[in-house]
Amino acid sequence: MKSEMSPDDLPIPEIPKCLQTRTVTKTIMSFADAKEYHRYRQAAHACIWAPQEGSSNFGELRAAVMMHLRFDGTFGFPGGLINSGEDIVDGLNREMAEEIGWSPTEHPVTWSDYYNTQVEHNKNLLLHFFIKKITLDQFTALEKMCPTAPEYGDEVLGSVRVPLYTMGNMYSGLPAFLNNRFVGTAKQQLLLAVHHVKILTEVEINEVMYKSNNLKLGPNRI
């Protein structure tokens, strides 16, 4: 598939104040600027999400957001390295098909889903991040497809829905989830994504980060 548009003219997305840490702001650049790094490898990942109303026994649902447990024990988003000469969105759709059973012909990721680019100079690597909205029915069907993907059980050890609520003890749920190990910038990308699509407000993200950092040593958070 060929891209119908280019992100060259898109500005760097707004970063909420609570996420304006040096590790985030230092590495984010426009796609046009990233093209100057000709010898850097490229990777692309996508946050797949679906609106979801209602609540569970544990909190308000708001949305379904997919991440997965990787082979190295960290959480990340589907995607991976782009082959030399391969179109970025083609490579991303290919990686997602291999990892989670994604069907590019049914609902492909395109440049209209592009969010930002980050650079890791120490690895000579450009990281392109996309945010793809699908319906909840499509999301549920994708979850069922994940175990049939070629890389399932090898590179990918399981898909998860991110808990987007905070339970009554003020720690369980999203604050606790954020204390897992994440690959690369995946934790930052998760928070940027839920802010960008208005799942959580900046105030809510700030509160979640505070609880995640300061309440994790509580005596019993179950």
Side-chain angles (χ1 to χ4, degrees):
M1 82 192 63
K2 295 301 180 183
S3 305
E4 296 181 356
M5 61 173 288
S6 168
D8 284 1
D9 297 326
L10 294 178
I12 296 174
E14 177 186 358
I15 306 300
K17 291 181 180 178
C18 62
L19 294 175
Q20 289 182 4
T21 63
R22 190 168 183 267
T23 55
V24 174
T25 57
K26 181 182 178 182
T27 61
I28 288 181
M29 62 174 58
S30 69
F31 186 82
D33 288 340
K35 292 171 71 174
E36 298 299 319
Y37 294 89
H38 304 290
R39 297 185 179 181
Y40 278 41
R41 297 177 301 158
Q42 300 192 78
H45 297 81
C47 172
I48 307 300
W49 76 283
Q52 184 179 25
E53 298 180 353
S55 60
S56 69
N57 292 328
F58 310 106
E60 184 182 0
L61 294 174
R62 301 192 183 203
V65 174
M66 179 178 288
M67 297 191 78
H68 60 218
L69 179 64
R70 293 161 33 96
F71 63 92
D72 58 3
T74 64
F75 285 98
F77 289 102
L81 288 173
I82 306 302
N83 295 328
S84 178
E86 186 178 27
D87 180 82
I88 292 172
V89 292
D90 286 350
L92 174 56
N93 282 286
R94 172 187 55 76
E95 283 284 340
M96 291 171 61
E98 294 170 356
E99 292 183 349
I100 62 172
W102 181 256
S103 176
T105 57
E106 292 183 13
H107 34 255
V109 177
T110 69
W111 281 117
S112 63
D113 304 307
Y114 171 79
Y115 176 68
N116 74 0
T117 294
Q118 292 178 267
V119 58
E120 291 192 6
H121 292 293
N122 60 327
K123 296 182 180 180
N124 287 352
L125 182 64
L126 294 172
L127 298 166
H128 308 291
F129 189 55
F130 294 71
I131 303 172
K132 179 68 175 181
K133 179 181 179 182
I134 58 179
T135 68
L136 186 59
D137 286 344
Q138 291 171 334
F139 191 98
T140 302
L142 180 60
E143 288 178 313
K144 295 177 180 178
M145 285 297 298
C146 286
T148 70
E151 296 296 343
Y152 194 90
D154 184 14
E155 288 190 23
V156 178
L157 301 183
S159 66
V160 299
R161 290 194 190 192
V162 178
L164 296 173
Y165 47 78
T166 300
M167 293 175 61
N169 62 17
M170 298 294 105
Y171 178 74
S172 298
L174 184 55
F177 183 79
L178 294 179
N179 278 318
N180 284 295
R181 297 286 294 181
F182 295 82
V183 64
T185 60
K187 179 177 177 179
Q188 300 161 352
Q189 290 172 332
L190 170 62
L191 294 173
L192 289 169
V194 297
H195 174 264
H196 180 69
V197 299
K198 297 179 172 57
I199 296 173
L200 294 177
T201 67
E202 182 174 345
V203 171
E204 290 172 322
I205 292 173
N206 195 43
E207 291 176 351
V208 164
M209 292 176 63
Y210 175 84
K211 293 169 182 175
S212 180
N213 292 330
N214 294 283
L215 301 183
K216 58 187 174 183
L217 299 180
N220 185 357
R221 292 297 173 185
I222 304 277

